[in-house]
Amino acid sequence: MKDALLEVDLAPGHKTGLLLKNPVMTASGTFSWGFEFARHFDINALGGVLSKGVTVHSRAGNQQPRVAETPAGMLNSIGLQNVGLYKVIDELAPQWAAWDVPVVVNIAGDSIDEFGEMAAALDGVPGVAALELNISCPNVDVGGMEFGQDPVAAGRVTRAAVRKTDLPVVVKLTPNVTDPVALARACADEGAAAICAINTVLGMRIDIDRRRPVLPRGRGGLSGPAIKPVALRIVHDVARAVPVPVIGCGGISTGEDAIEFLMAGATAVQVGTATFANPRAPLDVLDGLRAWLRKNRVSDVNEIIGCARLPG
Ligand SMILES: Cc1cc2nc3c(=O)[nH]c(=O)nc-3n(C[C@H](O)[C@H](O)[C@H](O)COP(=O)(O)O)c2cc1C
């Protein structure tokens, strides 16, 4: 049997669109700016690449240690260390423009207006295919998750960005709320082209010898296989509630993991923490996905999207 068709559309009907040659993307913050990986494998084989979270001004990030191992995952408290918006526009985007894979820039504003200003600055920049609004970072004092925990604020941030750019705007949700569906609805209502779920789950570890939290800020964001069931539940519930595509993220490290997310209703997936143990993880997920589709005689990946969804 021939390989299945893999192309998916993350922004159907949108002005510039966001067509991926396959549904496997990297996750923000786990793939740096992509250049190190591009030296080791064919980055153009991926469906999409996410940048590290970008703020207007460069940031040094939080005090060390910033990561801690956990059973089946890790905690991080990076604090949005990044080179700043204008270095991204002037130096990184021109290099992305030479790639044959869409690069989505993950942005984190300190205020609603700042999300709008960043969206305006990135509009029309060659090498930037779409924006992902990070309203879900648990590791910063200002902005971050505070916009992502209230549907009204999440809707306002979305509107501020959508009004300032022709690029498709993806909104990335935090799982650290009671009702992620309400947030997703508010973002979709305000023009989000797609929803990404999920960012990290708030967690903590204690160093029993020092009798102190392992991470200086106490809490951090849990990622990896430990959060996969949480992510799947949220993707499932959001996908049946909103009319826009959903990108699944959280604990994906195999083709079978990706299939689970697609069946729950995701149109694409992002691979994050798995990349730290295996830099080729996104490609391995893609190979696994392709093999599963072939073995199960599925001719187009779109056929399985949402097939396991329960009536809502
Ligand atoms: C070290 C690290 C840094 C991250 N940085 C960002 C970031 O800058 N912006 C963002 O939206 N998500 C960030 N995330 C969250 C991931 O993109 C992803 O949503 C989360 O880790 C769950 O996926 P995973 O289990 O595959 O890692 C980061 C995660 C890790 C582990």
Side-chain angles (χ1 to χ4, degrees), residues 67-91:
V67 293
E69 269 190 57
T70 66
M74 64 180 277
L75 284 171
N76 92 80
S77 176
I78 306 295
L80 291 178
Q81 177 184 0
N82 78 99
V83 297
L85 178 65
Y86 293 97
K87 193 156 178 172
V88 168
I89 293 173
D90 296 338
E91 294 177 28

Side-chain angles (χ1 to χ4, degrees), residues 86-220:
Y86 293 97
K87 193 156 178 172
V88 168
I89 293 173
D90 296 338
E91 294 177 28
L92 309 187
Q95 301 180 65
W96 294 332
W99 292 352
D100 183 26
V101 56
V103 176
V104 180
V105 176
N106 179 284
I107 61 173
D110 280 354
S111 65
I112 291 175
D113 287 346
E114 204 172 82
F115 273 99
E117 288 159 28
M118 294 179 84
L122 287 158
D123 185 50
V125 172
V128 178
L131 305 181
E132 184 177 80
L133 310 187
N134 180 358
I135 56 167
S136 42
C137 180
N139 303 319
V140 289
D141 292 327
V142 184
M145 220 164 62
E146 94 196 31
F147 299 123
Q149 289 180 320
D150 167 23
V152 175
R156 285 196 185 131
V157 169
T158 308
R159 191 185 328 144
V162 168
R163 284 168 61 178
K164 293 286 177 69
T165 181
D166 283 341
L167 293 170
V169 171
V170 179
V171 184
K172 184 164 177 184
L173 300 184
T174 175
N176 304 310
V177 291
T178 311
D179 188 4
V181 170
L183 288 158
R185 281 206 180 102
C187 300
D189 285 350
E190 293 297 347
I195 301 292
C196 176
I198 56 175
N199 209 316
T200 52
V201 178
L202 274 177
M204 191 175 191
R205 275 203 56 201
I206 303 291
D207 177 339
I208 56 172
D209 294 324
R210 288 175 48 245
R211 303 183 182 204
R212 304 289 306 154
V214 171
L215 300 172
R217 289 169 63 90
R219 35 177 54 191

Side-chain angles (χ1 to χ4, degrees), residues 287-308:
D287 287 346
L289 171 67
R290 209 182 260 123
W292 190 94
L293 293 171
R294 192 183 315 118
K295 190 169 143 219
N296 289 276
R297 304 189 153 273
V298 178
S299 58
D300 184 335
V301 71
N302 289 279
E303 286 168 26
I304 62 163
I305 293 174
C307 69

